[in-house]
Amino acid sequence: MEPNTERLQLLRKLLKIEREEDFAQYKVHFSRNNINHRRENGVTWYPITISNVEIGLGEYLSIDIERTTNHNEPHKFSGGKIASLFSNNNNTESGTLNGTIKVLGPNKIRLSLNVDELPDWCDDGKLGINLLFDETSYKEMDIALEKVINASHNRLAHLRDVMYEIKAPVFEKTDASIHITGLNQSQNEAVRKIIAAKDLAIIHGPPGTGKTTTLVQAIRQTLFSEKQVLVCSSSNTAVDLLTEKLHREGISVLRLGNPARISEVVLMNTLDAKVAAHESYKDLKSYRKTAEEYFRMAGKYKRTFGREEREQRQLFYQEARKILKDAKVLEDYIISEQFDKAQVIACTPVVSSGRMMRDRQFTTVFIDEAAQALEPMCWIPISRSNRVIFAGDHFQLPPTVKSKKAETEGLKETLFENCMHIENVSVMLNTQYRMNQQIMNFSNMKFYKGNLIADASVKETVLSFDPNEFLLNTPLDFIDTAGCGYNEIVNPESLSIANPEEGQLLMKHLKLLLEQHSGASPALQIAEKSKKRITIGIISPYKEQVQYLTNLVATDEEFEAYRSHIAIKTVDGFQGQERDIIYISMVRSNDQREIGFLNDIRRMNVALTRAKKKLVLIGDSATIGNHPFYKDFLDYVEAEGAYKSAWEYVM
């Protein structure tokens, strides 16, 4: 073990605490052994039916499961998670069958199993599926930390020492001839920095500055000198976005793991799709079909049979397995070819440690949204690479940590943030192409030292330049509910907070704005083709308020023409997104001046920087004004002439 690994030892301890807290929260869903209770919590589907069985990648079975009732009920199942098939039939001797969720629809799951035949109890009905606690990510993070702690006199030890500021990062002379048309000065500078880096480089990308575009060009440039690179992000959505953009650049991408967005471009880059498109796939399919036939014949001999039948069944199974062995050889060849041909392998960090990646080493790993990833998560792909390129913004969403103890003792501190302190490794992208200057400026002063510039294409952009359209010709409004008596209320079950009156005021303001935009009531907007339909986002830090606002929009006929253009989510749901208009419902209004989630100013930075042309915040200045960040914000809106009282809209 090398010296200076105290931080890494601490991380292993904190990771254990985090896993225990995560497991404790998971167990709460199963605290009452009641199927209906679990179903309501979104961790069980019951009843279900198996609609299809086939041999998938590897020689294992893949089954399609469908809900037979409770269609479209919300749930926590998602691609990549581990789930367990069970039988609720008391007359049946049954166990459970575990697998990985592959493809997901609202009421359909494809489950990859580690068996080559289904047990008999699957035929007896009353089937259900439970979401299981997934140990994989914790195991892989712990393995990676152990690897880093024990690294000595090798490349990983060197990278660890660079990132922990024991050794200085090395750069070759910058190649000034690298200039990519379509990138601005700071974006080109970031690409040049990456090409020159021997150990580590960082793209610091504030909101709207084209971080992903820059990263894609940096990957393209790197591929001129490297045959293959690894591209990771802890968010499946970010991996999908990079896959799409790289594919459009004509780069061959192999997308491993479970795509979050089932878009055609992402799907055609997955391993399954590439295997299916291979010229030898029909032979592979034929092998599997024959094997399935033998399995089916063997399956006819059920439970009560004599010695002769038992021998016959055995022969069928032997033949099926022999054919599958041949299929496996062919499949391994096809898969190996996909890995060798790919210029980019794109996946989440945990998937980068999977069985098919075990023996692969990369010259460069690009880690996107690195400021959102736990440090142990980053070490997984770093441990199989010679140099590291981070992209992200440590002033936006931090990683999610469930344990308060693990969070306060340092699990929330990211490798990205620590590396930002290293001199000369990062380039900040300084031109933003998303928002009006007035929307940008507060975040710019608070987080980016005033270094951000609004591009001329967006600097003065508003919804309307008509001087009479006062709701449309200004980019920023803060509507103060102080003194209105709009008190927050707590849901005793979820403990989340809502503010119904603030929500109603928001809807009233939005209707007025849409009316001004369409020159008629929002309901008539659908008939008007001449004006471009605007996109609207409504953000609240509290799920209870999100639910309340969602119900208001869903039940109000005046919004009918606009529903498909209104997205209502928590801050996390809007990460990386933008809308023409953003409303923020701040919710908190109490005599104790408690602001809860609003204390997380990095989350508020994300909320404040989603709007392109119009940002409207609604909140109680008496509750939030004690916090220095919000006090400064109130001073800012006052100075910009953007302060309004709720009394102006209460009639």
Side-chain angles (χ1 to χ4, degrees), residues 416-561:
F416 180 96
E417 203 166 347
N418 290 339
C419 291
M420 280 297 292
H421 299 307
I422 303 171
E423 216 173 305
N424 200 35
V425 300
S426 70
V427 173
M428 185 178 115
L429 308 181
N430 61 13
T431 307
Q432 69 83 15
Y433 300 89
R434 175 181 297 159
M435 59 203 119
N436 179 293
Q437 188 168 252
Q438 212 178 38
I439 297 171
M440 172 194 83
N441 271 342
F442 182 69
S443 280
N444 190 19
M445 291 184 309
K446 275 286 170 191
F447 297 100
Y448 306 108
K449 300 178 181 171
N451 290 325
L452 270 185
I453 304 153
D455 186 68
S457 62
V458 297
K459 191 176 179 180
E460 308 291 339
T461 183
V462 281
L463 291 165
S464 167
F465 291 99
D466 184 333
N468 298 316
E469 296 185 329
F470 64 97
L471 288 174
L472 308 178
N473 62 25
T474 54
L476 178 66
D477 286 331
F478 174 76
I479 302 170
D480 190 0
T481 64
C484 292
Y486 292 179
N487 292 332
E488 64 188 55
I489 52 171
V490 180
N491 178 329
E493 277 188 33
S494 66
L495 300 179
S496 187
I497 300 169
N499 193 323
E501 289 156 311
E502 181 180 291
Q504 286 157 14
L505 175 65
L506 187 154
M507 291 302 155
K508 188 171 191 176
H509 190 278
L510 175 56
K511 282 181 191 176
L512 289 169
L513 187 147
L514 293 177
E515 212 169 293
Q516 208 168 88
H517 183 260
S518 64
S521 77
L524 296 176
Q525 177 71 13
I526 199 159
E528 193 197 52
K529 304 289 184 194
S530 60
K531 279 193 179 182
K532 184 177 173 286
R533 193 69 62 88
I534 48 179
T535 57
I536 301 152
I538 303 174
I539 301 175
S540 178
Y542 291 91
K543 282 180 182 165
E544 198 67 27
Q545 186 76 342
V546 166
Q547 196 52 56
Y548 179 74
L549 293 165
T550 302
N551 291 341
L552 284 183
V553 170
T555 53
D556 192 326
E557 284 177 16
E558 283 200 74
F559 288 115
E560 196 173 334

Side-chain angles (χ1 to χ4, degrees), residues 84-278:
S84 176
L85 195 66
F86 67 89
S87 167
N88 202 34
N89 194 330
N90 296 329
N91 311 322
T92 299
E93 186 156 323
S94 71
T96 55
L97 202 54
N98 297 352
T100 307
I101 298 171
K102 291 277 280 187
V103 179
L104 196 77
N107 301 300
K108 189 173 181 175
I109 282 174
R110 174 161 289 180
L111 199 63
S112 276
L113 303 166
N114 288 337
V115 294
D116 52 18
E117 64 172 314
L118 288 178
D120 293 337
W121 55 262
C122 288
D123 300 324
D124 296 332
K126 292 200 171 180
L127 295 178
I129 186 167
N130 286 327
L131 193 58
L132 292 187
F133 182 69
D134 190 4
E135 289 273 23
T136 316
S137 59
Y138 289 107
K139 280 181 180 162
E140 292 301 344
M141 284 191 278
D142 189 63
I143 289 166
L145 285 175
E146 191 177 16
K147 230 167 152 181
V148 182
I149 288 166
N150 293 320
S152 181
H153 300 95
N154 61 9
R155 192 64 198 152
L156 183 56
H158 180 78
L159 286 176
R160 177 196 64 211
D161 292 348
V162 167
M163 291 186 195
Y164 278 26
E165 297 184 76
I166 294 161
K167 290 179 179 166
V170 176
F171 290 87
E172 290 175 345
K173 191 175 184 304
T174 306
D175 184 352
S177 72
I178 296 173
H179 180 85
I180 298 155
T181 315
L183 294 192
N184 65 36
Q185 192 181 332
S186 65
Q187 290 170 331
N188 267 303
E189 193 189 326
V191 173
R192 288 194 287 269
K193 169 74 76 180
I194 286 164
I195 299 307
K198 300 291 279 180
D199 309 301
L200 169 72
I202 299 175
I203 301 174
H204 178 200
T209 54
K211 168 181 68 69
T212 308
T213 303
T214 309
L215 189 59
V216 165
Q217 290 307 319
I219 292 166
R220 201 170 67 84
Q221 289 291 319
T222 304
L223 286 167
F224 291 141
S225 58
E226 293 172 30
K227 187 174 175 285
Q228 189 176 70
V229 299
L230 177 60
V231 174
C232 287
S233 171
S234 53
S235 139
N236 265 307
T237 312
V239 181
D240 290 346
L241 180 63
L242 281 164
T243 300
E244 282 183 25
K245 291 201 165 193
L246 289 162
H247 177 85
R248 282 199 207 110
E249 287 282 329
I251 291 164
S252 155
V253 187
L254 179 58
R255 167 66 164 107
L256 298 180
N258 285 274
R261 304 200 305 219
I262 311 294
S263 74
E264 204 175 318
V265 172
V266 174
L267 276 183
M268 68 194 282
N269 285 286
T270 61
L271 184 58
D272 286 25
K274 283 178 182 280
V275 168
H278 194 275

Side-chain angles (χ1 to χ4, degrees), residues 24-39:
Q25 289 184 21
Y26 164 81
K27 277 200 300 194
V28 167
H29 293 307
F30 288 86
S31 55
R32 297 208 302 272
N33 194 17
N34 173 316
I35 282 183
N36 289 332
H37 173 69
R38 296 202 310 263
R39 210 179 61 204

Side-chain angles (χ1 to χ4, degrees), residues 586-604:
M586 299 178 85
V587 177
R588 300 313 298 256
S589 181
N590 56 71
D591 296 336
Q592 295 75 37
R593 297 178 173 182
E594 286 175 3
I595 65 168
F597 282 152
L598 299 182
N599 272 306
D600 190 343
I601 61 170
R602 295 204 286 185
R603 267 194 163 72
M604 190 46 67

Side-chain angles (χ1 to χ4, degrees), residues 386-418:
N386 291 348
R387 68 179 195 130
V388 185
I389 311 301
F390 285 135
D393 179 13
H394 51 305
F395 299 122
Q396 293 188 64
L397 290 184
T400 302
V401 178
K402 293 181 178 176
S403 159
K404 208 78 206 134
K405 180 175 165 63
E407 182 182 346
T408 51
E409 290 189 22
L411 189 58
K412 209 166 189 172
E413 290 164 24
T414 63
L415 201 50
F416 180 96
E417 203 166 347
N418 290 339

